[in-house]
Amino acid sequence: MDLKEMSFDSELATFLLDWLEKMEDDLSQALNSVSLEQKDDKMDTFGLYVVTWNVATAEPPDDVNSLLQLNSPKKPDLYVIGLQEVKAAPLKFVTDLAFEDSWSHLFMNTLAPLGYIKVSSIRMQGLLLLFFSKLEHVPFIRDIQVTYTRTGLYGYWGNKGGVSIRLSFYGHMLCFLNCHLTAHMDYASQRVNEFESILDAQTFDTKNTPLILDHKVVFWFGDLNFRIEDHEMLFVKNCITNQQYNLLWSKDQLTMMKQKEATLQKFKEGPLDFQPSYKFDLHSDNYDTSGKKRKPAWCDRILWRVKPKSSLSEDANEDGQNQEDPKKQLEEQHKDEFPLKLSQEFYTSKMEYGISDHKPVIGIFRLELRKIYETPLVQVSAEGEWSANFDALITYSLLQTFPSSAWDWIGLYKVGFKSVSDYITYTWVKDYQVSFTKKLFQVYVNKDKIPVLGGECVLCYYSSNLQRIVGISKPFKLI
């Protein structure tokens, strides 16, 4: 019944109407407040595991389970593996480019059964950088680009330099730079110059993040070759034996150079509470006993940088007026809406590996972020029963606008596949298209293309223009 039609005083009716409207508004605001608070508090956490290792041209060990801490109950979401001095004899290097090198094979064979695939890699002579991800994250890894910079022999030889992979992870731009810098005690300044020249030289085909330092997060790691100055061999070894590593930090060249080089000050590093990773006798935990008796050093390092927000002082003119342009203001607002945090949980050398005069160094990180996008570009599904006895049907729909192409294809993969090229069979999305609506497409796979094998499989939609997987089906049985 309308309150205005009730038989009591009209002023009371008006009061009751106003009170009900106010209660409704208050309830609506409260619900919206709770909804916004829940959305704002939603941060997803990912584990990121970084490895750097100068392998000194050695062939891989029998296994890398300890190196990757595969017995740990908590597995990371991403593995980033940077190697230096991978054997690069001319004939072997050409073979590796065509068929994958033995180190890549080892890591792929080790991680694939655990649900990781190799998303990207880059090789420059002895420098190798590998990026692995859990399968569930692959459709949300976009804008992948790789590049390299030679610094050996005045930039003409690739025995020294840097290789990098940059990508978007749930909309946040990350860059990983693996370096091998000039060796020997007296070249600390040259190492800094090489690093800065790599930062200047490496560019990416994008407007927003053309340079390494434009990315939201940068990891810099590798055999950076910084040494321990001044202290004599006996003092250094005694500090190591007694685990008094802090007594050596003040003479670590990278620590010293960070005090005066602005570029280095942009990067963080965890405490060096572990044995220096260089230089060891082969297959031993003994530091160099050869005639050269190289002094131990933390040559192998992992540093990182989270891009800071621009300060008000940078955006003010001489009169103190804020001159920040609208585009920059939108970017800063975007950072506030989609924050990112990075923290290191573990940093150490792995002493059990002796195939090189360097021990591998690992860094385990906790990456917290609010996803900028949570929907894949394509949703793909296997329909009905799949076997080699009859044609199989695939349905897919484009969930977001992207540059699709007649050269796009959908691959059939066995669960535990190693990389995008590890498909069982595939079909072009246009060749066998049997029907479509505005949103839903259907294609079939000829039964002659389906092998006679059992097991669990997935379908992956590969974009030729974007050169990556943009949609993955739920696992299904191939009978």
Side-chain angles (χ1 to χ4, degrees):
M1 178 182 291
D2 191 334
L3 286 174
K4 291 182 180 179
E5 295 177 1
M6 296 180 70
S7 59
F8 52 84
D9 186 88
S10 61
E11 290 183 4
L12 178 60
T14 301
F15 171 80
L16 289 173
L17 280 170
D18 291 340
W19 180 79
L20 286 171
E21 288 177 359
K22 184 176 185 302
M23 289 293 292
E24 186 177 12
D25 290 340
D26 289 345
L27 179 61
S28 175
Q29 289 178 9
L31 289 173
N32 288 336
S33 176
V34 170
S35 175
L36 286 171
E37 185 177 351
Q38 288 175 342
K39 181 180 179 182
D40 288 345
D41 288 343
K42 187 175 183 293
M43 294 278 281
D44 291 280
T45 302
F46 305 90
L48 194 156
Y49 195 109
V50 181
V51 177
T52 179
W53 193 3
N54 183 323
V55 298
T57 73
E59 286 300 304
D62 293 335
D63 72 73
V64 286
N65 290 348
S66 174
L67 176 65
L68 304 179
Q69 295 191 358
L70 299 183
N71 294 327
S72 172
K74 185 179 178 182
K75 300 291 190 298
D77 297 272
L78 307 172
Y79 276 101
V80 183
I81 302 166
L83 305 180
Q84 306 86 40
E85 291 195 32
V86 175
K87 191 172 183 179
L91 182 59
K92 179 173 174 53
F93 183 61
V94 172
T95 304
D96 288 348
L97 288 178
F99 301 107
E100 298 276 11
D101 62 278
S102 55
W103 283 96
S104 295
H105 273 298
L106 174 63
F107 287 114
M108 291 165 69
N109 292 337
T110 301
L111 291 172
L114 300 175
Y116 298 89
I117 77 164
K118 189 192 79 173
V119 175
S120 184
S121 65
I122 181 171
R123 173 90 183 266
M124 182 186 75
Q125 286 183 226
L127 275 168
L128 175 64
L129 180 57
L130 303 166
F131 182 90
F132 291 86
S133 169
K134 283 184 176 178
L135 186 61
E136 65 198 76
H137 304 307
V138 170
F140 306 98
I141 299 173
R142 305 176 183 176
D143 305 318
I144 303 169
Q145 294 184 43
V146 300
T147 190
Y148 63 89
T149 303
R150 301 184 182 97
T151 59
L153 287 179
Y154 305 101
Y156 291 102
W157 189 242
N159 65 319
K160 296 290 193 297
V163 294
S164 61
I165 297 174
R166 59 88 69 174
L167 51 88
S168 164
F169 185 68
Y170 289 98
H172 296 267
M173 300 308 302
L174 315 180
C175 186
F176 303 91
L177 172 61
N178 172 27
C179 288
H180 191 186
L181 305 180
T182 294
H184 304 306
M185 181 69 74
D186 298 331
Y187 293 99
S189 295
Q190 184 172 332
R191 288 189 271 276
V192 176
N193 292 337
E194 287 178 350
F195 174 54
E196 291 178 337
S197 70
I198 290 170
L199 293 180
D200 291 337
Q202 294 200 358
T203 58
F204 302 98
D205 186 18
T206 175
K207 292 182 179 179
N208 295 328
T209 53
L211 300 173
I212 289 176
L213 294 183
D214 293 328
H215 291 72
K216 201 162 191 178
V217 177
V218 178
F219 285 92
W220 172 39
F221 50 93
D223 180 1
L224 308 185
N225 255 320
F226 290 102
R227 308 304 173 96
I228 296 173
E229 290 188 357
D230 296 341
H231 295 310
E232 297 297 329
M233 176 75 82
L234 181 60
F235 178 79
V236 172
K237 286 191 173 182
N238 284 338
C239 290
I240 295 170
T241 300
N242 297 322
Q243 298 186 5
Q244 294 177 307
Y245 308 122
N246 61 304
L247 299 181
L248 303 174
W249 293 347
S250 64
K251 296 301 180 180
D252 167 68
Q253 287 182 335
L254 181 52
T255 302
M256 296 167 68
M257 298 301 289
K258 282 187 73 172
Q259 294 175 1
K260 58 182 181 179
E261 296 289 344
T263 302
L264 299 183
Q265 291 168 10
K266 297 176 181 178
F267 287 83
K268 294 182 179 180
E269 184 180 18
L272 299 170
D273 284 330
F274 56 88
Q275 277 193 241
S277 55
Y278 173 86
K279 173 180 174 50
F280 290 88
D281 293 337
L282 295 183
H283 308 290
S284 169
D285 289 345
N286 298 321
Y287 285 102
D288 188 13
T289 59
S290 72
K292 292 183 178 179
K293 288 186 170 55
R294 300 282 190 194
K295 192 162 52 173
W298 286 290
C299 290
D300 309 283
R301 312 287 278 267
I302 300 171
L303 297 92
W304 72 94
R305 174 184 188 258
V306 177
K307 188 178 180 182
K309 294 181 181 180
S310 50
S311 64
L312 291 176
S313 60
E314 292 175 339
D315 301 318
N317 64 9
E318 294 178 357
D319 298 324
Q321 299 296 317
N322 193 316
Q323 298 295 306
E324 190 172 17
D325 60 56
K327 183 178 178 182
K328 195 167 186 180
Q329 288 178 337
L330 285 174
E331 289 176 352
E332 292 303 316
Q333 183 179 348
H334 191 264
K335 290 178 185 177
D336 292 335
E337 187 178 356
F338 298 101
L340 178 148
K341 300 177 182 177
L342 182 69
S343 57
Q344 188 176 63
E345 296 184 333
F346 198 54
Y347 189 32
T348 192
S349 54
K350 300 290 285 184
M351 296 296 295
E352 56 267 46
Y353 292 91
I355 61 172
S356 166
D357 56 349
H358 291 252
K359 301 294 184 181
V361 169
I362 64 166
I364 302 176
F365 295 86
R366 176 187 175 93
L367 181 64
E368 296 179 78
L369 56 84
R370 183 168 300 128
K371 296 175 181 177
I372 296 176
Y373 48 74
E374 300 187 57
T375 305
L377 298 180
V378 174
Q379 181 175 307
V380 58
S381 302
E383 302 296 334
E385 189 176 277
W386 277 60
S387 79
N389 297 323
F390 46 82
D391 296 341
L393 184 64
I394 300 170
T395 62
Y396 70 92
S397 55
L398 309 183
L399 302 182
Q400 298 181 47
T401 302
F402 73 98
S404 58
S405 161
W407 295 103
D408 292 356
W409 49 273
I410 298 174
L412 174 67
Y413 293 84
K414 197 162 186 177
V415 169
F417 68 99
K418 302 172 187 176
S419 68
V420 69
S421 61
D422 198 21
Y423 54 80
I424 299 170
T425 189
Y426 68 92
T427 181
W428 300 105
V429 297
K430 301 293 184 183
D431 282 1
Y432 298 101
Q433 197 170 89
V434 291
S435 67
F436 65 93
T437 65
K438 188 175 181 180
K439 295 183 178 180
L440 185 67
F441 298 83
Q442 292 182 334
V443 296
Y444 72 87
V445 180
N446 190 293
K447 63 182 180 181
D448 296 333
K449 289 187 174 183
I450 301 175
V452 182
L453 56 84
E456 203 168 30
C457 295
V458 292
L459 296 169
C460 296
Y461 186 109
Y462 184 84
S463 166
S464 295
N465 286 329
L466 300 179
Q467 295 189 342
R468 58 183 176 79
I469 292 171
V470 296
I472 301 174
S473 74
K474 293 180 180 179
F476 61 93
K477 291 287 186 182
L478 184 60
I479 58 176

